[in-house]
């Protein structure tokens, strides 16, 4: 019965992080508005957690940390969040995608709504699925190669201290506030597709998800099927949003597994499908849920305690940057 309730917990965690993300966005908007209004609106502290939406800045910071040994003070929280997400994925599969990521939460809401309306979710043709799925891996390979391999230490330092990077969070805000043209069509298209297909953006185009997918192969905790207890009912396959053949697997090692545990919760024989460590020790669903939250939130708290969370850009510098003409990429 506890495994059945895991999905209720997961959805609560998802929506908790989604609402918190909205809170960060509104607070950051008020922060920027103070400067753009010339001080006419009240000043609010910049929420450093908004840097969770700057994965490229976090990746550049990672390169800078590896080459210089120090974490840059411009967007330190971006690196801290990136490392926390990586830690979750290395230990607990791609559970960040199904438990924390706000994009995944919204698309899951869409395909569940679509299932209620149409009585089913559709699947992309197998040949098209094989053609589209490598796209996200090519995208992440491009970013990793461009930043971790091609960028020199001097280029990294120059980028980190550039006005372009300092205002990356403001650019992100303006992007969503002024959606139009191709970006609007792209986002609207994926939201529409999400009513028919399960997580199409995550499955085919998300480079962040691709990075976590590769790292999740290292995870010691994976879903295992006990063949002697399995009744081959197919409930796990129907529940899996990644269309994995859980029913015929001994251990679900696929990088497409997002650690949502929907297969485990749907299994009518609790002993047939469980999350286990390599040694065979069972990880109960509620423990798995707690670990996802503790590792992610704990990772960010470590960054705070270590002094690598708050951006050191002074208020006067933000006044100059926010009211200055758009900065060009260095």
């Amino acid at each position: 019965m506890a495994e059945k309730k895991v999905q209720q917990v997961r959805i609560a965690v998802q929506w908790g992080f989604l609402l918190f993300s909205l809170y960060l966005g509104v607070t950051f908007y008020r922060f920027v508005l103070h400067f753009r209004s010339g001080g006419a609106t009240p000043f609010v502290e910049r929420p450093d957690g908004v840097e969770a939406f700057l994965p490229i800045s976090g990746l550049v910071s990672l390169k800078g940390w590896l080459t210089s040994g120090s974490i840059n003070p411009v967007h330190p929280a971006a690196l801290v969040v990136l490392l926390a997400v990586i830690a979750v994925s290395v230990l607990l599969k791609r559970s960040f995608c199904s438990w924390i990521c706000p994009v995944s939460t919204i698309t899951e809401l869409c395909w569940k709504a679509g299932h209620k309306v149409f009585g089913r979710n559709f699947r992309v043709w197998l040949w098209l699925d094989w053609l589209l799925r490598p796209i996200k891996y090519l995208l992440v390979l491009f970013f990793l190669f461009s930043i971790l391999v091609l960028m020199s230490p001097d280029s990294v330092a120059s980028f980190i201290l550039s006005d372009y990077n300092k205002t990356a969070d403001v650019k992100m805000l303006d992007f969503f506030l002024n959606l139009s043209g191709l970006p609007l069509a792209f986002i609207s298209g994926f939201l529409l597709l999400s009513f028919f297909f399960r997580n199409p953006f995550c499955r085919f185009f998300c480079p962040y998800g691709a990075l976590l997918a590769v790292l999740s192969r290292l995870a010691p905790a994976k879903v295992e099927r006990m063949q002697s207890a399995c009744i081959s009912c197919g409930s796990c396959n129907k529940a899996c949003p990644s269309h994995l053949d859980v029913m015929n697997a001994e251990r679900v090692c696929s990088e497409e597994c997002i650690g949502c545990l929907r297969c485990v919760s749907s299994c009518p024989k609790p002993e047939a499908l469980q999350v286990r460590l390599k040694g065979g020790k069972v990880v109960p669903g509620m423990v798995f849920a707690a670990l996802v939250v503790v590792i992610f939130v704990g990772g960010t708290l470590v960054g705070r305690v270590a002094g690598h969370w708050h951006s050191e850009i002074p208020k006067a510098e933000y006044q100059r940057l926010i009211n200055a003409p758009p900065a060009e990429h260095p």
Side-chain angles (χ1 to χ4, degrees), residues 86-97:
I86 288 174
V88 171
S89 304
V90 168
L91 296 173
L92 303 169
K93 296 294 290 180
R94 284 172 58 191
S95 49
F96 170 82
C97 299

Side-chain angles (χ1 to χ4, degrees), residues 154-208:
D154 289 341
S155 297
V156 169
S158 176
F159 177 85
I160 288 173
L161 297 176
S162 67
D163 286 356
Y164 183 90
N165 183 51
K166 288 178 181 178
T167 56
D169 47 3
V170 181
K171 291 183 179 66
M172 174 193 64
L173 175 67
D174 287 341
F175 173 81
F176 286 105
L177 289 178
N178 302 290
L179 273 178
S180 62
L182 189 59
L184 178 60
F186 184 83
I187 293 175
S188 300
F190 270 108
L191 284 176
L192 179 61
L193 287 172
S194 296
F195 281 93
F196 301 95
F197 304 97
R198 296 184 178 185
N199 305 331
F201 175 75
C202 307
R203 187 169 179 81
F204 301 124
F205 292 97
C206 180
Y208 208 171

Side-chain angles (χ1 to χ4, degrees), residues 12-301:
V13 171
Q14 276 188 320
W15 281 88
F17 278 108
L18 176 62
L19 293 174
F20 182 65
S21 297
L22 292 174
Y23 162 76
L24 291 176
V26 171
T27 305
F28 185 64
Y29 170 77
R30 294 175 61 202
F31 169 81
V32 173
L33 185 62
H34 169 78
F35 296 104
R36 286 185 169 163
S37 67
T41 60
F43 174 77
V44 295
E45 290 291 337
R46 176 183 177 274
D48 295 296
V50 77
E51 294 179 17
F53 296 91
L54 303 177
I56 299 302
S57 183
L59 191 59
V60 175
S61 295
L62 177 61
K63 172 64 180 283
W65 184 35
L66 295 175
T67 55
S68 69
S70 61
I71 296 177
N72 83 83
V74 175
H75 292 308
L79 175 58
V80 171
V81 172
L82 175 63
L83 294 176
V85 172
I86 288 174
V88 171
S89 304
V90 168
L91 296 173
L92 303 169
K93 296 294 290 180
R94 284 172 58 191
S95 49
F96 170 82
C97 299
S98 58
W99 291 75
I100 298 173
C101 177
V103 175
S104 182
T105 301
I106 293 171
T107 57
E108 182 174 330
L109 178 66
C110 290
W111 64 256
K112 283 181 176 178
H115 190 280
K116 285 188 176 181
V117 172
F118 303 108
R120 57 171 292 193
N121 293 121
F122 300 90
R123 287 196 63 173
V124 174
W125 295 298
L126 186 60
W127 63 267
L128 185 58
D129 184 273
W130 278 98
L131 283 177
L132 293 177
R133 229 187 307 167
I135 293 176
K136 66 177 183 287
Y137 294 103
L138 293 174
L139 287 171
V140 76
L141 184 62
F142 167 77
F143 288 120
L144 291 175
F145 185 76
S146 299
I147 294 172
L148 299 183
V149 178
L150 294 184
M151 284 188 78
S152 67
D154 289 341
S155 297
V156 169
S158 176
F159 177 85
I160 288 173
L161 297 176
S162 67
D163 286 356
Y164 183 90
N165 183 51
K166 288 178 181 178
T167 56
D169 47 3
V170 181
K171 291 183 179 66
M172 174 193 64
L173 175 67
D174 287 341
F175 173 81
F176 286 105
L177 289 178
N178 302 290
L179 273 178
S180 62
L182 189 59
L184 178 60
F186 184 83
I187 293 175
S188 300
F190 270 108
L191 284 176
L192 179 61
L193 287 172
S194 296
F195 281 93
F196 301 95
F197 304 97
R198 296 184 178 185
N199 305 331
F201 175 75
C202 307
R203 187 169 179 81
F204 301 124
F205 292 97
C206 180
Y208 208 171
L211 173 63
L212 304 186
V214 174
L215 294 173
S216 73
R217 297 285 296 190
L218 303 172
K222 293 182 174 71
V223 173
E224 285 191 4
R225 182 181 67 93
M226 186 176 292
Q227 188 171 354
S228 60
C230 179
I231 59 174
S232 301
C233 64
S235 295
C236 51
N237 283 17
K238 292 177 183 177
C240 180
S242 299
H243 304 298
L244 299 178
D245 188 11
V246 181
M247 187 178 69
N248 294 305
E250 292 184 6
R251 185 170 168 85
V252 182
C253 297
S254 172
E255 61 278 355
E256 294 299 327
C257 173
I258 58 175
C260 63
L261 305 192
R262 280 173 56 87
C263 58
V264 176
S265 298
S266 68
C267 183
K269 301 279 287 184
E271 66 276 16
L273 214 57
Q274 296 173 315
V275 177
R276 293 178 181 268
L277 300 177
K278 274 190 174 181
K281 185 175 179 60
V282 175
V283 180
M286 291 299 185
V287 173
F288 187 94
L291 287 173
V292 171
V293 176
V294 167
I295 293 172
F296 179 73
V297 176
T300 62
L301 291 177

